Amino acid sequence: MSVTTVKRSTALQSITAGPGFNRWLIPPAALAVHLCIGQAYATSVYKSSLIDHFQASQTAIGVIFSIAIVMLGLSAAVFGTWVDRFGPRRAMIVAAICWAVGFFVGALGIATGQLWLVYLGYGGIGGIGLGIGYISPVSTLIKWFPDRPGLATGLAIMGFGGGAMIASPLSSWLLGAFDPAFATNDGVATGDAVMKLFLTLGAIYLVVMLFGAWIVRVPAPGWAPKGFDPAALKAKPLVTTSHTSANSALRTPQFWLLWVALFCNVTAGIGVLEQAAPMIQDFFRDSPFAVSATAAAGFVGLLSLCNMGGRFVWSSVSDFIGRKNMYLVYLAGGVGLYLLLAFTGSSTVVVFILVTAVIISFYGGGFATAPAYLRDLFGTYQVGAIHGRLLTAWSAAGIAGPLIVNGVLDTRGEPGTLHAGDYRPALLLMVGILVVGLIANLLIRAVASKHHADPEVVRAATGVGSGSAISGASGDGPDAVGAGASGVATATGAAAKPRVPPIVAWIIVGVPLAYGVVQTFINALKLFE
C-alpha cells in the first residue's frame, strides 16, 4: 500500500460516522461552506467604494470578480480528484483558509493602495477557496442521500445563491458602522471602511466554514438509509449501479453532452442576471409602468430569491421525474420563456417579473441538478472530481453570456436610452443557444460499460462495490450507520460522532439565511410601491 493510499485511508477513517450518526447534520455542514462562499455574488455592495479608493475604472475593479470566478472553475477541475480522495473535511478546511486569507490579503491591498494584492488575494487565493469549497460537500451528500440526491445537493448548492442575500445587507450594515457617511455618500465608503469589512468578513467566514468542516462526516462502507433498496435504481433510466473514474468520464460523450447542456443553460441565465437592473428599466422606459432605480434594485433581490429557491425546488423535483427530464424542462421551458420575454415582456411589469423569475429559477436549478445527474451517469466513485471538471462550463458561460448580451446592446445604443425592442436580438440568440443545449440533453444515453471502473479498484478506494449504489447492510434506523461489505462500521467509533444536535446546526445556518431572505423580500416589495 502506497504512502498516499495510507494517508487517504487515515483521512477518511478519521471522519467516518459512528453508529447512530444523523445524516441530517450533513446538509447544514455543506450550507456552512456555501453560504460563506456565496458572498462572491455580493461584491457590487463595495464595488463603487473600491473604484473611488483606487481611482480605478469599473473594468479594473470588475476584474477582481472575474479572476475569482475563473479560479473557481479551474481549482474545482484541478483539485476535484484530491477532494474525493481525502474527503470533505480536509477540503473544507483548505477552502476556509484560502477564502479567509483571500479577504485578509485583499484587506492588505486596500490598506496599502496596491490593487494587485486585491487581485491576488480575493481573486486568486480566494477563488481557489471558492472552487474547492463549492465541490467539497457534493460527493458526500450524494453518498448520504442515495435515495434523494437531488434534494441533498439542492439543499447545499442553494446556499451559494443564498450567501449573497446574507452578505449584501450585512456588508452594507458593516460599511455604515465603519463609515457613518456611507449611507449618505451615494453608497461609497472610505478605503479604511472597506479594509475593515474585508477583515471582518474573513474572520466570520473562517469560523463558520470551520464549523462545517468539524461536523461533516462520511458514511461507513456499506451504509444505506433504512428502507433504501439499491436494486430499485436499476429500474430508473440512465441511473447506473456501476462507477466511472474522473479520467474515464472525460472520454465519454455523456460528459461533454452534459457540459454543453449546462453551458447553454448558464449562458442564457447569466446573460439576464448580469443585466437585470438596467434591463427592467429599459423594458418600461417612457411607459406608464416606468421602474425606478430603487425598484430595479429590489428586482435584483427578487431574482436572487428565485435563484436560490430554484436550486432547491427543481433539484428536489428531479428526484421524482429524473434528471434528463428536469433538464428538458430547463432548456425547452427556457426557449418558450425567452420567446415570451422577447415579444410580450414589455406588456406589464408583472409579466416581465414572472417570466424572468422562472428563467432565473431554471438557471439556479441547473447548477443544483448537475451533481445528481453526474451521479446517475457515472456513479459515486469520483463524482466530486467529475463535478469539478463540469464546472468549467460555468466559467465559460460566465464569459459568454454577458459578452453576448452586452455586445448586442452596444450595437443598439447608449446605456440609459435603450428600450425593450433593443433586447430582442440578444434574447433570440439565447433561444438558439438553449435549443443547442436541448439537443445535447436529448442525446444523452447511459454510459457504456467499457468506461466503468474495475469494481475491485472502486471497493479498495471507497468500500463501495459495483452492482449496487451503496453495498452492504441497510442499518438499523433511518439515519443509522450499518456495517458493510468490509464488516466494519467505522474505524474510529464514537470519536467520529460530533456532539451537535442537528437542530442546533440547522439554527446556526438557518437564522442568517432567514435574515437574508427577509431583507431581500423587503427590498423586492419596492417593485410594487
Side-chain angles (χ1 to χ4, degrees):
M1 184 178 292
S2 67
V3 174
T4 301
T5 302
V6 172
K7 289 181 178 179
R8 178 170 68 245
S9 177
T10 302
L12 292 176
Q13 284 181 358
S14 66
I15 59 169
T16 298
F21 181 85
N22 192 322
R23 63 174 175 165
W24 287 99
L25 268 174
I26 305 303
L31 277 169
V33 173
H34 275 243
L35 287 174
C36 292
I37 61 177
Q39 186 276 343
Y41 277 151
T43 55
S44 60
V45 174
Y46 50 78
K47 182 178 180 181
S48 296
S49 302
L50 290 179
I51 291 172
D52 181 72
H53 176 67
F54 286 107
Q55 292 297 295
S57 66
Q58 292 213 33
T59 300
I61 299 302
V63 166
I64 300 170
F65 175 77
S66 298
I67 293 173
I69 294 301
V70 169
M71 291 303 297
L72 184 157
L74 291 177
S75 60
V78 171
F79 294 107
T81 302
W82 175 82
V83 171
D84 273 345
R85 284 181 177 176
F86 292 95
R89 171 176 288 175
R90 187 172 295 187
M92 288 179 176
I93 291 173
V94 170
I97 293 172
C98 288
W99 189 228
V101 169
F103 276 98
F104 298 151
V105 173
L108 178 62
I110 296 169
T112 59
Q114 300 295 317
L115 183 56
W116 70 271
L117 278 174
V118 185
Y119 290 158
L120 173 65
Y122 188 96
I125 301 172
I128 293 173
L130 275 175
I132 296 176
Y134 192 92
I135 65 173
S136 59
V138 169
S139 63
T140 302
L141 281 163
I142 290 174
K143 291 170 184 174
W144 275 113
F145 291 85
D147 49 338
R148 297 291 299 277
L151 178 145
T153 55
L155 273 173
I157 292 177
M158 78 171 186
F160 196 81
M165 293 194 300
I166 299 172
S168 184
L170 176 62
S171 296
S172 295
W173 181 80
L174 287 171
L175 287 173
F178 297 139
D179 178 10
F182 171 70
T184 58
N185 194 28
D186 296 324
V188 176
T190 64
D192 180 69
V194 182
M195 181 267 292
K196 292 177 180 177
L197 171 68
F198 269 46
L199 291 175
T200 304
L201 291 179
I204 292 172
Y205 291 149
L206 180 63
V207 172
V208 175
M209 292 173 75
L210 289 179
F211 169 76
W214 177 56
I215 65 173
V216 76
R217 295 292 183 272
V218 296
W223 178 89
K226 184 178 180 180
F228 173 65
D229 180 12
L233 293 176
K234 296 180 180 180
K236 296 184 178 181
L238 292 185
V239 181
T240 185
T241 54
S242 298
H243 303 274
T244 304
S245 70
N247 289 336
S248 294
L250 292 181
R251 295 193 288 269
T252 67
Q254 286 84 355
F255 175 86
W256 294 107
L257 288 170
L258 183 54
W259 193 99
V260 171
L262 180 63
F263 169 81
C264 292
N265 190 59
V266 175
T267 297
I270 208 168
V272 170
L273 197 60
E274 190 263 347
Q275 194 69 19
M279 186 176 180
I280 191 172
Q281 291 179 283
D282 292 339
F283 260 63
F284 300 98
R285 190 176 303 282
D286 304 326
S287 82
F289 308 110
V291 176
S292 68
T294 301
F299 171 64
V300 174
L302 181 63
L303 291 187
S304 296
L305 275 174
C306 296
N307 182 8
M308 183 187 74
R311 291 170 187 247
F312 173 67
V313 173
W314 298 126
S315 185
S316 298
V317 170
S318 76
D319 283 331
F320 299 97
I321 69 173
R323 255 59 76 170
K324 186 174 182 177
N325 288 335
M326 196 70 252
Y327 262 80
L328 180 66
V329 172
Y330 298 150
L331 297 161
V335 168
L337 289 168
Y338 270 93
L339 288 172
L340 192 63
L341 186 62
F343 294 106
T344 66
S346 60
S347 58
T348 67
V349 174
V350 172
V351 169
F352 180 90
I353 292 174
L354 288 175
V355 172
T356 51
V358 179
I359 286 174
I360 297 305
S361 77
F362 285 172
Y363 164 80
F367 282 118
T369 308
Y373 207 158
L374 291 172
R375 179 262 164 270
D376 290 351
L377 292 169
F378 302 109
T380 62
Y381 173 35
Q382 292 187 336
V383 68
I386 301 171
H387 182 222
R389 296 174 190 188
L390 185 73
L391 289 180
T392 55
W394 182 7
S395 296
I399 297 172
L403 275 179
I404 292 170
V405 174
N406 291 325
V408 170
L409 295 181
D410 283 343
T411 68
R412 307 292 292 187
E414 296 294 323
T417 65
L418 301 176
H419 294 78
D422 296 314
Y423 284 81
R424 192 165 296 141
L427 295 174
L428 294 179
L429 279 173
M430 294 303 175
V431 169
I433 289 171
L434 287 168
V435 169
V436 172
L438 175 62
I439 294 171
N441 183 59
L442 290 172
L443 291 175
I444 293 177
R445 300 289 185 270
V447 175
S449 58
K450 66 180 181 180
H451 297 293
H452 294 161
D454 183 339
E456 292 304 319
V457 173
V458 176
R459 186 175 295 109
T462 64
V464 177
S466 184
S468 64
I470 303 290
S471 62
S474 61
D476 57 5
D479 302 304
V481 175
S486 64
V488 180
T490 175
T492 56
K497 184 178 180 181
R499 294 186 294 273
V500 179
I503 185 64
V504 173
W506 278 103
I507 289 173
I508 289 174
V509 298
V511 170
L513 185 58
Y515 162 77
V517 170
V518 169
Q519 291 298 315
T520 301
F521 183 73
I522 290 172
N523 290 330
L525 287 177
K526 296 174 182 176
L527 275 167
F528 306 99
E529 290 180 351

